[in-house]
Amino acid sequence: MKSLTKITTWLCLCFCWASTYATVPLEDFLLPSPQSIKIEKGMMSPTGGRILLGKGIDDDRLLEHTLSLREQFKDLGWHWELTRQCAAGEQPNLHIHIDGSKDLPAQGYHLHIKKEQIELTGADAQGVFNGLQTLRQLIDYAGRAEGLPCLSIEDYPDFEHRGFMLDVSRDRVPRLATLFQIIDHLAAWKINQLQLYTEHTFAYQNHPQVWQAYSPYTAEDIIRIDRYCKERFIDLVPNQNALGHMERWLEHEDYQHLAELETIQPEGPSQLQRRTTLNPIDPLSMELVNGMFDELLPNFSSATVNIGGDEPWELGYGRSKAVCDAKGKGQVYVDYMSDLTRGLSKKGYRTQMWADIILHHPDQLHRLPKDLTCLVWGYRAWYPFDKNCRKIKEAGLPLYVCPGTSSWQSFIGRWPNAQINLLKAAKAGKKHGAEGYLITDWGDFGHWQSFLISYPGIMYGAGLSWALDQNQELPTDRLMSNSMMAKPNPELSKLIVELGEVYKLYDGDIQKYVNVFYDILRAPDASLSTPKLKHVNATNTQEVLNTLDNLLNRLHQCSVFNDEQRLMRDELILAAGFARHSAQMAKERLSLPDHKMSLASAKCKQMMMKDWERLLARYRELWLERNRPGGLQSSYAGFEIITECYRQ
């Protein structure tokens, strides 16, 4: 009830301010919404012009961000100078200082805007930085409203570590300029941890055949990214999978002696069809992994490392079978991950591990090192975060909750699923004392979606991880327009969200985590009567086509105000085009024997092929706008089954 009262009070205050003084609501600019805000009478109207860097402001990063803030104040006509000492009796217009004695949690701040002065007090340097981000958002608001409102904010995070993980291994490796743009957004939204999920996309000097076709990040790239993050109070945590998901290594003959599977069965059970997992009982596997970490980790300033460990599909089916049968898969798994953790701990690192496997073997939880953080992940709306967090907590292990953006295998996103998934994770994490909240963004099976599709989930997760109670009803589309775009574009932002809701037309039960557009395309000759696609019928397919046609029409007519928005619109048109092609394929297949696209008429396949080739050409062009070329061919290979089907 107390939380509901706080939220209601905050919304009422925003409404009162908006209706009295401004044409736009304040809540459309603040991300995350603060823990506590009190709107006061009047607006700031300063005289003079000095910024006092007070007690504790000796971090060069804070100086740089204050200088940037000063440039932003010029948009309001306020030209202020910096000083570290005011004259006797002088009142600075902006006083920034650190006061650890105040009753503020770590990373927290107090911001008080009065008619002639702003006072920003941080609990620590990161608290000051967080306060500066809020002040920047308030200046953006002032430029659209009647001025800078007098108010008081007391703010601090619910989660100590608020992270974002980007998959850079399947198959998009963003250009540094693209990544820096993402980092700028994360910092503005008070995200303080970034992980780049890596399998084979770091340029290990002794393993060039593994990465040479994928435009990997080099050691110098990582050093530059790390510095860029550190300047914005973001911890760049290395993330290198070290057991499963090693297929890009094990496809090469030189590494196959380390694989769990000695031979593969392409037509056999899924866990025997390819090599993805290292043999955990072979000392040479640990030697390879330790060598990788020895080269990788010195390029990061972080003392934390994510060692992966998720989805070792073949474990116990090959070279380790006898040992797994004797000891149990859980014990073999824990032995390997614990040995790796202890080795890294001796070097001063604290490790993280995906928790999916250990949760299947709860009797082994007590054997894990107590400094190993378990990352509890799940991406469906129904995922039981509460139950699984409780297991980790009762075992006395530190934990993160790790929901997802629901963008991958979707083209246009699954926004309602993401909302529930992100919210459930935050509630369970806060309840069970999770140290961190890590928003994940994957690229399974070719990374066919544009990164733009992920922003609603990132923004919502950023809000929830900062102040859960105050951010459950974020106006995400309006925040995208105001806090992500240099020039607001409400229509473009709204279209991102609306595209992410289209999948519901195929099945209103969002608990099913429908990847419908992807699933229709990836198997063009499979039956549409499978459990995944049985909800696809002629009526809802036509409704989907009509909706996508409407959204595409709006996209083509949508005004854009700079080159970045033009690229965003192009990416959305492509994403909607892929989804529409999928729905059109479903419409054709529903009338064909066994739903096989290859049995369509030559005229139909020719029509579909023309549209398909247009989409693929645009896909290649837009990929290169933001991403390195390596990985494009691998991603493109996933489309070949569709192309071949049309050629039959």
Side-chain angles (χ1 to χ4, degrees):
M1 181 62 70
K2 182 179 179 182
S3 296
L4 180 60
T5 302
K6 289 170 72 177
I7 295 170
T8 303
T9 302
W10 154 239
L11 291 175
C12 288
L13 286 168
C14 289
F15 176 79
C16 290
W17 169 260
S19 60
T20 305
Y21 295 104
T23 57
V24 289
L26 179 56
E27 64 175 342
D28 291 359
F29 288 79
L30 292 180
L31 178 64
S33 291
Q35 296 279 1
S36 172
I37 181 171
K38 181 180 179 182
I39 307 294
E40 300 170 353
K41 289 183 178 181
M43 294 178 289
M44 187 176 184
S45 181
T47 58
R50 298 255 273 178
I51 300 174
L52 174 61
L53 302 176
K55 180 182 175 182
I57 308 300
D58 51 9
D59 189 316
D60 286 343
R61 295 175 294 178
L62 295 181
L63 174 60
E64 291 302 316
H65 288 290
T66 302
L67 287 169
S68 177
L69 182 75
R70 181 181 68 171
E71 292 302 305
Q72 196 174 351
F73 271 119
K74 290 180 181 178
D75 294 338
L76 302 181
W78 301 344
H79 299 266
W80 295 348
E81 295 181 353
L82 269 64
T83 183
R84 290 193 180 274
Q85 181 62 54
C86 285
E90 179 188 1
Q91 288 294 320
N93 294 113
L94 171 58
H95 183 198
I96 304 172
H97 61 112
I98 293 173
D99 188 348
S101 66
K102 282 190 175 291
D103 188 21
L104 273 175
Q107 304 181 39
Y109 66 93
H110 179 256
L111 178 64
H112 193 187
I113 300 177
K114 295 174 281 188
K115 289 186 178 181
E116 293 186 357
Q117 186 186 51
I118 302 171
E119 184 173 12
L120 172 58
T121 306
D124 45 33
Q126 189 164 358
V128 171
F129 177 77
N130 291 330
L132 289 172
Q133 304 318 301
T134 299
L135 190 48
R136 294 179 74 98
Q137 293 170 1
L138 288 167
I139 296 170
D140 284 342
Y141 169 76
R144 298 276 305 283
E146 298 294 329
L148 188 62
C150 294
L151 52 76
S152 181
I153 290 175
E154 186 172 317
D155 208 8
Y156 51 86
D158 283 345
F159 291 86
E160 177 184 0
H161 305 291
R162 303 169 303 282
F164 173 63
M165 189 227 74
L166 176 62
D167 184 351
V168 298
S169 288
R170 277 101 45 99
D171 286 295
R172 294 177 189 262
V173 179
R175 298 179 182 274
L176 289 189
T178 302
L179 192 56
F180 291 162
Q181 181 188 53
I182 294 169
I183 292 168
D184 285 338
H185 288 318
L186 298 177
W189 305 330
K190 301 183 178 66
I191 294 292
N192 66 353
Q193 185 179 116
L194 173 64
Q195 299 191 19
L196 302 176
Y197 171 76
T198 309
E199 295 172 0
H200 62 290
T201 47
F202 176 76
Y204 292 104
Q205 292 304 290
N206 292 328
H207 309 286
Q209 63 178 314
V210 173
W211 50 259
Q212 60 188 352
Y214 296 99
S215 301
Y217 289 131
T218 64
E220 180 176 335
D221 289 331
I222 295 298
I223 291 168
R224 292 180 62 191
I225 298 166
D226 186 83
R227 181 182 66 180
Y228 199 85
C229 285
K230 199 169 184 178
E231 289 169 350
R232 289 152 180 80
F233 289 83
I234 292 175
D235 186 23
L236 181 67
V237 171
N239 181 327
Q240 171 63 63
N241 226 324
L243 180 60
H245 289 292
M246 295 288 285
E247 52 263 35
R248 300 293 192 185
W249 294 72
L250 300 177
E251 67 186 11
H252 298 285
E253 186 174 350
D254 289 349
Y255 299 91
Q256 288 178 3
H257 65 287
L258 302 177
E260 169 69 5
L261 293 184
E262 187 170 3
T263 59
I264 60 174
Q265 301 177 28
E267 304 302 324
S270 59
Q271 68 269 20
L272 302 179
Q273 290 181 4
R274 59 178 183 155
R275 301 179 180 93
T276 72
T277 304
L278 292 171
N279 174 8
I281 65 171
D282 188 340
L284 292 178
S285 294
M286 188 64 72
E287 182 179 318
L288 170 68
V289 169
N290 281 329
M292 291 161 59
F293 282 120
D294 284 345
E295 183 178 351
L296 176 69
L297 298 185
N299 301 295
F300 296 78
S301 60
S302 181
T304 302
V305 54
N306 186 336
I307 59 176
D310 63 315
E311 300 179 333
W313 303 117
E314 306 98 274
L315 179 62
Y317 288 96
R319 291 181 167 113
S320 72
K321 185 178 189 306
V323 177
C324 285
D325 288 346
K327 292 184 175 182
K329 286 185 183 181
Q331 184 169 334
V332 172
Y333 177 83
V334 167
D335 287 345
Y336 178 87
M337 300 303 287
S338 297
D339 286 348
L340 181 54
T341 291
R342 282 189 282 267
L344 290 167
S345 296
K346 289 178 181 178
K347 297 174 183 177
Y349 291 98
R350 185 175 180 180
T351 55
Q352 301 175 342
M353 174 189 85
W354 301 113
D356 54 315
I357 303 304
I358 196 62
L359 285 169
H360 287 297
H361 303 279
D363 59 307
Q364 295 292 320
L365 275 166
H366 70 283
R367 298 184 60 244
L368 288 172
K370 294 304 180 184
D371 61 346
L372 173 57
T373 299
C374 291
L375 306 177
V376 180
W377 63 270
Y379 309 128
R380 289 169 169 81
W382 52 258
Y383 181 79
F385 275 109
D386 184 71
K387 180 182 74 173
N388 288 336
C389 286
R390 183 182 299 110
K391 290 180 183 178
I392 303 298
K393 186 68 174 180
E394 289 175 350
L397 294 164
L399 67 98
Y400 277 30
V401 285
C402 306
T405 61
S406 298
S407 65
W408 58 98
Q409 301 179 58
S410 73
F411 295 114
I412 53 178
R414 299 175 297 270
W415 173 226
N417 180 87
Q419 286 178 288
I420 297 176
N421 180 244
L422 290 157
L423 181 57
K424 281 188 174 180
K427 288 181 175 179
K430 189 174 180 179
K431 176 181 176 181
H432 296 287
E435 294 181 355
Y437 182 100
L438 184 66
I439 308 158
T440 62
D441 191 68
W442 298 96
D444 296 29
F445 306 111
H447 215 142
W448 288 353
Q449 81 278 11
S450 161
F451 183 73
L452 180 60
I453 297 299
S454 302
Y455 271 120
I458 298 169
M459 297 174 76
Y460 188 52
L464 295 173
S465 65
W466 179 265
L468 169 61
D469 293 338
Q470 285 69 31
N471 286 274
Q472 294 184 32
E473 302 295 332
L474 281 181
T476 309
D477 58 338
R478 300 196 299 275
L479 281 166
M480 268 193 291
S481 177
N482 293 322
S483 69
M484 194 181 83
M485 299 181 183
K487 184 174 177 59
N489 192 325
E491 174 68 357
L492 192 60
S493 300
K494 185 183 293 187
L495 283 162
I496 297 172
V497 172
E498 289 186 31
L499 280 168
E501 296 175 339
V502 175
Y503 79 97
K504 290 198 303 179
L505 296 174
Y506 268 125
D507 193 334
D509 184 3
I510 59 176
Q511 302 283 337
K512 294 182 179 177
Y513 188 65
V514 179
N515 300 329
V516 59
F517 300 110
Y518 176 83
D519 288 333
I520 290 168
L521 280 180
R522 69 180 300 197
D525 269 358
S527 172
L528 296 178
S529 301
T530 62
K532 283 185 176 182
L533 295 174
K534 64 181 180 181
H535 49 276
V536 174
N537 58 55
T539 300
N540 57 26
T541 295
Q542 189 59 55
E543 187 178 3
V544 167
L545 285 168
N546 293 342
T547 301
L548 287 170
D549 283 340
N550 175 263
L551 291 170
L552 279 164
N553 183 55
R554 286 170 58 193
L555 277 166
H556 283 290
Q557 293 182 7
C558 180
S559 298
V560 293
F561 306 112
N562 51 42
D563 289 340
E564 170 65 15
Q565 290 186 12
R566 188 172 294 106
L567 178 55
M568 292 167 68
R569 183 179 61 184
D570 289 347
E571 289 170 328
L572 291 175
I573 288 171
L574 177 64
F578 271 120
R580 192 195 185 286
H581 187 94
S582 175
Q584 185 64 40
M585 178 189 279
K587 181 178 181 179
E588 302 296 341
R589 287 170 61 185
L590 284 166
S591 64
L592 295 170
D594 299 320
H595 306 145
K596 293 180 180 291
M597 191 66 214
S598 60
L599 298 180
S601 67
K603 182 179 180 180
C604 174
K605 286 191 283 189
Q606 184 180 20
M607 175 196 69
M608 295 293 288
M609 185 66 162
K610 183 178 180 180
D611 184 56
W612 186 240
E613 288 178 336
R614 177 186 61 81
L615 291 170
L616 293 189
R618 196 67 176 130
Y619 182 78
R620 183 182 294 272
E621 292 172 2
L622 292 179
W623 177 292
L624 296 173
E625 289 281 346
R626 297 195 193 270
N627 307 286
R628 294 181 172 187
L632 174 56
Q633 193 55 42
S634 175
S635 177
Y636 216 76
F639 294 129
E640 290 178 359
I641 187 172
I642 302 152
T643 303
E644 289 303 314
C645 181
Y646 292 149
R647 286 175 176 164
Q648 291 180 24

